[in-house]
Amino acid sequence: MKVQHSAAIEHQQAVEQAMRRWQVLAGVGMVWLAATAAAQAPYVAIEQRVDPQELARVGLSPAQLQTLNRLLREADARSPAPPVAAAPVAPGATIPAPMFPGLDDGPINAKVTGQVDGWAPGTVFTLDNGQQWQVLKGEMKLKTSRSNPAIVVVPGIAGRWFLQVDEDLPKARVFRIR
């Protein structure tokens, strides 16, 4: 039984390490995208965009060309940069998880089924909603045992979760096993 707990903890730690690597890579990518979006291409005059023969067929005077270029330049300045199209997802491909899982998740309010007198790495809490959470980090011995206490499982950054038995007590770092 103890081997299962340590294997699960090692697996969770490996997952967290991989997530940290992806976060660094994603952060670099976001900085690059922001720099690319900020560096908009300068306005190119209509005379340079269109074939001179085609432009001559339209029959615009030099004053009209100047006005058209001014209007197009002003329109470009007012309009936001075009959105970057997402790469198409191949059939059967998996869509990656959110970059910062947990940030959009809300806290989970439930009751622990059974007695709680403390926790240590490997302790499993079964909640009345059917979920099971295992302690990854943190250790606490309660002064008095609690029967079916109300708890809150609070999301943290990068998919981390913390189980709170009482707001005055330290939280246990947990991960969901069911």
Side-chain angles (χ1 to χ4, degrees):
M1 186 94 165
K2 187 73 168 175
V3 175
Q4 278 184 318
H5 292 307
S6 65
I9 292 170
E10 288 174 12
H11 171 73
Q12 181 68 18
Q13 289 172 340
V15 168
E16 288 174 0
Q17 186 178 20
M19 286 184 72
R20 281 191 294 272
R21 287 186 191 131
W22 277 110
Q23 287 172 338
V24 169
L25 183 61
V28 170
M30 288 189 320
V31 169
W32 178 80
L33 281 174
T36 303
Q40 282 186 323
Y43 174 76
V44 177
I46 193 76
E47 297 93 329
Q48 296 171 349
R49 295 187 202 181
V50 180
D51 180 49
Q53 294 173 345
E54 293 291 322
L55 194 57
R57 269 191 238 150
V58 174
L60 295 175
S61 69
Q64 289 172 321
L65 278 174
Q66 186 177 10
T67 302
L68 179 61
N69 276 320
R70 180 180 55 79
L71 290 173
L72 291 173
R73 188 176 306 111
E74 289 171 0
D76 280 356
R78 280 192 309 266
S79 65
V84 177
V89 177
T94 58
I95 297 173
M99 188 181 323
F100 299 110
L103 288 179
D104 295 331
D105 297 329
I108 299 167
N109 293 293
K111 288 189 175 198
V112 174
T113 57
Q115 291 289 114
V116 176
D117 49 2
W119 57 85
T123 304
V124 175
F125 290 98
T126 302
L127 308 183
D128 61 356
N129 62 9
Q131 295 179 357
Q132 286 187 331
W133 294 82
Q134 184 173 356
V135 176
L136 181 66
K137 290 183 181 177
E139 193 168 329
M140 182 75 187
K141 178 75 176 153
L142 300 177
K143 290 182 182 180
T144 59
S145 184
R146 298 182 186 193
S147 180
N148 302 320
I151 56 96
V152 180
V153 184
V154 184
I157 193 162
R160 294 182 174 135
W161 290 87
F162 300 90
L163 187 133
Q164 178 179 328
V165 174
D166 186 319
E167 60 184 36
D168 294 332
L169 296 175
K171 297 177 184 83
R173 172 110 173 265
V174 294
F175 63 98
R176 189 171 171 185
I177 57 176
R178 187 180 83 173

Short mmCIF file of all heavy atoms in Angstrom, two decimals, residues 35 46 65 68 76-77 85 97-98 102 104 111 113 120-121 132 137 146 167 169 173:
data_model
loop_
_atom_site.label_atom_id
_atom_site.label_comp_id
_atom_site.label_asym_id
_atom_site.label_seq_id
_atom_site.Cartn_x
_atom_site.Cartn_y
_atom_site.Cartn_z
N ALA A 35 5.61 40.56 -29.17
CA ALA A 35 6.57 41.39 -29.91
C ALA A 35 6.21 41.43 -31.39
O ALA A 35 6.30 42.47 -32.04
CB ALA A 35 7.99 40.86 -29.72
N ILE A 46 -0.76 52.86 -51.97
CA ILE A 46 -1.54 52.11 -52.96
C ILE A 46 -0.77 51.98 -54.28
O ILE A 46 -0.89 50.96 -54.98
CB ILE A 46 -2.94 52.78 -53.16
CG1 ILE A 46 -3.89 51.87 -53.93
CG2 ILE A 46 -2.81 54.12 -53.86
CD1 ILE A 46 -4.44 50.77 -53.12
N LEU A 65 -5.28 60.10 -55.36
CA LEU A 65 -4.39 59.06 -54.85
C LEU A 65 -3.87 59.42 -53.46
O LEU A 65 -3.81 58.58 -52.56
CB LEU A 65 -3.21 58.83 -55.80
CG LEU A 65 -3.47 57.94 -57.00
CD1 LEU A 65 -2.26 57.93 -57.93
CD2 LEU A 65 -3.78 56.53 -56.55
N LEU A 68 -6.71 58.96 -51.02
CA LEU A 68 -6.95 57.53 -50.79
C LEU A 68 -5.88 56.93 -49.88
O LEU A 68 -6.19 56.19 -48.95
CB LEU A 68 -6.99 56.78 -52.14
CG LEU A 68 -7.20 55.28 -52.06
CD1 LEU A 68 -8.54 54.96 -51.40
CD2 LEU A 68 -7.14 54.65 -53.45
N ASP A 76 -5.89 51.87 -41.27
CA ASP A 76 -4.97 50.87 -40.72
C ASP A 76 -4.60 51.20 -39.27
O ASP A 76 -4.49 50.31 -38.43
CB ASP A 76 -3.69 50.79 -41.56
CG ASP A 76 -3.85 49.96 -42.81
OD1 ASP A 76 -4.93 49.36 -43.01
OD2 ASP A 76 -2.89 49.91 -43.61
N ALA A 77 -4.42 52.47 -38.97
CA ALA A 77 -4.04 52.87 -37.62
C ALA A 77 -5.18 52.62 -36.63
O ALA A 77 -4.95 52.30 -35.47
CB ALA A 77 -3.65 54.35 -37.60
N ALA A 85 -4.47 33.35 -36.91
CA ALA A 85 -5.31 32.16 -37.07
C ALA A 85 -4.66 30.98 -36.37
O ALA A 85 -3.45 30.79 -36.45
CB ALA A 85 -5.52 31.85 -38.54
N ALA A 97 -4.17 20.72 -23.03
CA ALA A 97 -4.86 21.27 -21.87
C ALA A 97 -4.56 22.77 -21.78
O ALA A 97 -3.61 23.25 -22.39
CB ALA A 97 -4.37 20.56 -20.62
N PRO A 98 -5.35 23.50 -21.02
CA PRO A 98 -5.08 24.93 -20.86
C PRO A 98 -3.67 25.15 -20.31
O PRO A 98 -3.13 24.32 -19.60
CB PRO A 98 -6.14 25.38 -19.83
CG PRO A 98 -7.13 24.30 -19.77
CD PRO A 98 -6.51 23.05 -20.27
N GLY A 102 -6.40 25.26 -13.66
CA GLY A 102 -6.71 25.56 -12.28
C GLY A 102 -7.08 27.01 -12.06
O GLY A 102 -7.87 27.32 -11.18
N ASP A 104 -8.94 28.95 -13.85
CA ASP A 104 -10.35 29.19 -14.14
C ASP A 104 -11.27 28.33 -13.29
O ASP A 104 -12.48 28.53 -13.30
CB ASP A 104 -10.64 28.93 -15.61
CG ASP A 104 -9.92 29.91 -16.51
OD1 ASP A 104 -9.68 31.05 -16.05
OD2 ASP A 104 -9.60 29.56 -17.64
N LYS A 111 -17.68 17.73 2.01
CA LYS A 111 -17.40 17.18 3.34
C LYS A 111 -16.57 15.92 3.17
O LYS A 111 -16.80 15.15 2.23
CB LYS A 111 -18.69 16.85 4.09
CG LYS A 111 -19.44 18.05 4.54
CD LYS A 111 -20.58 17.66 5.45
CE LYS A 111 -21.23 18.92 5.97
NZ LYS A 111 -22.05 18.68 7.13
N THR A 113 -15.71 12.23 4.12
CA THR A 113 -16.45 11.12 4.73
C THR A 113 -15.52 10.43 5.73
O THR A 113 -14.43 9.99 5.37
CB THR A 113 -16.94 10.12 3.67
OG1 THR A 113 -15.83 9.64 2.93
CG2 THR A 113 -17.93 10.77 2.72
N ALA A 120 -0.71 13.52 6.11
CA ALA A 120 0.70 13.45 5.74
C ALA A 120 0.74 13.02 4.27
O ALA A 120 -0.28 12.58 3.73
CB ALA A 120 1.42 12.43 6.61
N PRO A 121 1.88 13.14 3.60
CA PRO A 121 1.94 12.69 2.20
C PRO A 121 1.45 11.24 2.08
O PRO A 121 1.85 10.37 2.83
CB PRO A 121 3.43 12.82 1.85
CG PRO A 121 3.90 13.94 2.73
CD PRO A 121 3.14 13.76 4.01
N GLN A 132 -11.86 11.74 -4.69
CA GLN A 132 -10.81 11.35 -3.76
C GLN A 132 -9.59 12.20 -4.06
O GLN A 132 -9.19 12.35 -5.21
CB GLN A 132 -10.46 9.87 -3.90
CG GLN A 132 -11.49 8.94 -3.34
CD GLN A 132 -11.01 7.50 -3.36
OE1 GLN A 132 -10.23 7.09 -4.20
NE2 GLN A 132 -11.50 6.72 -2.40
N LYS A 137 1.94 17.05 -0.45
CA LYS A 137 2.87 17.75 0.44
C LYS A 137 2.09 18.31 1.62
O LYS A 137 0.94 18.69 1.49
CB LYS A 137 3.55 18.91 -0.28
CG LYS A 137 4.55 18.50 -1.33
CD LYS A 137 5.22 19.72 -1.92
CE LYS A 137 6.21 19.31 -2.99
NZ LYS A 137 6.81 20.49 -3.62
N ARG A 146 -11.86 15.30 13.86
CA ARG A 146 -13.11 15.87 13.35
C ARG A 146 -13.85 14.80 12.56
O ARG A 146 -13.26 14.07 11.77
CB ARG A 146 -12.82 17.07 12.46
CG ARG A 146 -12.13 18.17 13.23
CD ARG A 146 -11.89 19.38 12.38
NE ARG A 146 -11.10 20.36 13.13
CZ ARG A 146 -10.94 21.60 12.75
NH1 ARG A 146 -11.51 22.02 11.64
NH2 ARG A 146 -10.22 22.42 13.45
N GLU A 167 -9.70 27.43 7.88
CA GLU A 167 -8.92 28.53 7.31
C GLU A 167 -7.79 28.99 8.22
O GLU A 167 -6.87 29.67 7.77
CB GLU A 167 -9.82 29.70 6.93
CG GLU A 167 -10.60 30.33 8.05
CD GLU A 167 -11.53 31.42 7.57
OE1 GLU A 167 -12.09 31.30 6.47
OE2 GLU A 167 -11.69 32.41 8.31
N LEU A 169 -5.78 26.83 9.69
CA LEU A 169 -4.76 25.79 9.64
C LEU A 169 -4.05 25.80 8.29
O LEU A 169 -4.62 26.24 7.28
CB LEU A 169 -5.40 24.41 9.85
CG LEU A 169 -6.07 24.17 11.20
CD1 LEU A 169 -6.77 22.82 11.20
CD2 LEU A 169 -5.03 24.23 12.32
N ARG A 173 -1.20 20.20 0.27
CA ARG A 173 -1.12 20.16 -1.19
C ARG A 173 -1.62 18.80 -1.62
O ARG A 173 -1.11 17.76 -1.17
CB ARG A 173 0.32 20.37 -1.62
CG ARG A 173 0.54 20.15 -3.07
CD ARG A 173 0.84 21.44 -3.80
NE ARG A 173 1.20 21.09 -5.15
CZ ARG A 173 2.43 20.93 -5.58
NH1 ARG A 173 3.44 21.14 -4.77
NH2 ARG A 173 2.64 20.59 -6.81
#
